[in-house]
């Protein structure tokens, strides 16, 4: 069998960094979740980076970024786990993960049997993910459908063609993905998912200030390269007006600060800014 090839540059590579974070969390005695497949992805990606001096150096830089982002990103995984369970308990039966990366919730969360997962990400991401999952010999616990496409183009038709139903309440997940799109593209994604959302659907939109001139964001941009990470670019994601934007389009919103959300998790992830947090939107 040929070795799966990981994206070693471009925005899809960012998913590997998050898998490294989840693999680290999973071996802690006080882990907030257990994602055994994250180690499979991290090991396979490490091999793709290669044993040349350049490959070794790029992998070391990726690991260093995973260190820097660890606390915030890892508690964030647990927060999405909890929100997903709550959304399903509230009646959502479809879960659409926008920019799913190496997410394995369809494999590791035990939800009601009729819950269906849709994962959307770029083709180069799934060209790595699917063979690694096959080599690991694992089956998802839930119906799982993969949409290899670009969120900046038409992703709604492939989603429907894969069995998505606009009359079934959906939980839409953006976990660190819409921030890689321009503001205009992110808002178009939000417009599209609004059209596809039956009453009772839920969408969690992060409200964060990202200063792309901070050294770790600059380093992330340099390592990933490509068009997505222009240094200093700040017009990305849904933006600071996400809440009023959603309210104007028929979503009922509530806001919880990040520090409030992470307080119960016992990790040093507080940031001391009450404006930063999560907008939870429920379709009326
Ligand atoms: C930081 S990763 C997060 C992945 C995953 N949500 C997680 O938390 O592990 C960002 C993901 O967004 C995906 N992405 C970025 N731009 C995209 C686009 N235009 N279309 C589809 N996926 C995109 C990347 O390929 C990558 O997998």
């Amino acid at each position: 069998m040929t070795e799966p090839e990981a994206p070693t540059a471009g925005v899809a590579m960012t998913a590997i960094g998050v898998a490294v974070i989840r693999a680290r969390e999973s071996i802690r005695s006080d882990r907030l979740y257990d994602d055994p497949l994250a180690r499979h992805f991290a090991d396979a990606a490490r091999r793709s980076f290669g044993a040349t001096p350049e490959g070794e150096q790029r992998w070391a830089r990726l690991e260093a970024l995973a260190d820097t982002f660890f606390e915030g990103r890892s508690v964030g995984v647990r927060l999405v786990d909890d929100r997903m369970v709550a959304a399903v308990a509230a009646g959502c039966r479809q879960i659409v993960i926008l920019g799913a990366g190496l997410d394995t919730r369809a494999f590791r969360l035990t939800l009601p049997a009729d819950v269906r997962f849709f994962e959307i990400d770029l083709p180069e991401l799934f060209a790595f993910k699917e063979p690694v999952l096959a080599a690991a010999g694992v089956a998802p616990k839930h119906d799982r459908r993969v949409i290899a496409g670009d969120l900046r183009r038409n992703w709604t038709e492939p989603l429907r063609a894969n069995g998505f139903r606009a009359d079934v309440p959906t939980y839409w997940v953006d976990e660190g993905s819409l921030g890689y799109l321009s503001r205009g593209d992110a808002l178009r994604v939000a417009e599209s998912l609004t059209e596809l959302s039956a009453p009772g659907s839920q969408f969690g939109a992060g409200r964060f200030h990202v200063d792309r001139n901070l050294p770790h964001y600059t380093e992330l941009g340099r390592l990933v390269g490509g068009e997505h990470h222009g240094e200093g670019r700040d017009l990305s994601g849904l933006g600071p007006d996400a809440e009023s934007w959603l309210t104007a389009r028929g979503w009922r919103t509530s806001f919880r600060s990040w520090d409030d959300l992470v307080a119960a998790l016992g990790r040093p992830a507080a940031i001391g800014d009450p404006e930063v947090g999560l907008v939870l939107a429920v379709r009326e």
Side-chain angles (χ1 to χ4, degrees), residues 82-153:
D82 292 348
R83 275 206 309 280
M84 193 175 281
V85 170
V88 168
C92 293
R93 283 296 177 272
Q94 298 181 124
I95 294 168
V96 179
I97 309 182
L98 305 161
L102 302 170
D103 187 292
T104 59
R105 291 188 175 91
F107 296 81
R108 66 184 176 80
L109 293 189
T110 305
L111 300 169
D114 57 344
V115 170
R116 180 176 279 176
F117 280 76
F118 298 89
E119 298 183 8
I120 307 176
D121 209 298
L122 298 167
E124 59 267 34
L125 186 283
F126 289 117
F128 171 62
K129 183 175 189 176
E130 299 311 294
V132 173
L133 290 170
V138 287
K141 289 184 182 174
H142 297 279
D143 186 333
R144 169 180 180 263
R145 309 202 174 182
V146 162
I147 293 99
D150 190 326
L151 290 166
R152 295 167 300 177
R153 309 221 165 83

Side-chain angles (χ1 to χ4, degrees), residues 12 14-15 18 22 73 99-101 121-122 150-152 175-177 181:
T14 60
V18 195
R22 286 196 292 264
R73 278 310 253 119
D121 209 298
L122 298 167
D150 190 326
L151 290 166
R152 295 167 300 177
E175 191 177 15
S177 297
L181 306 185

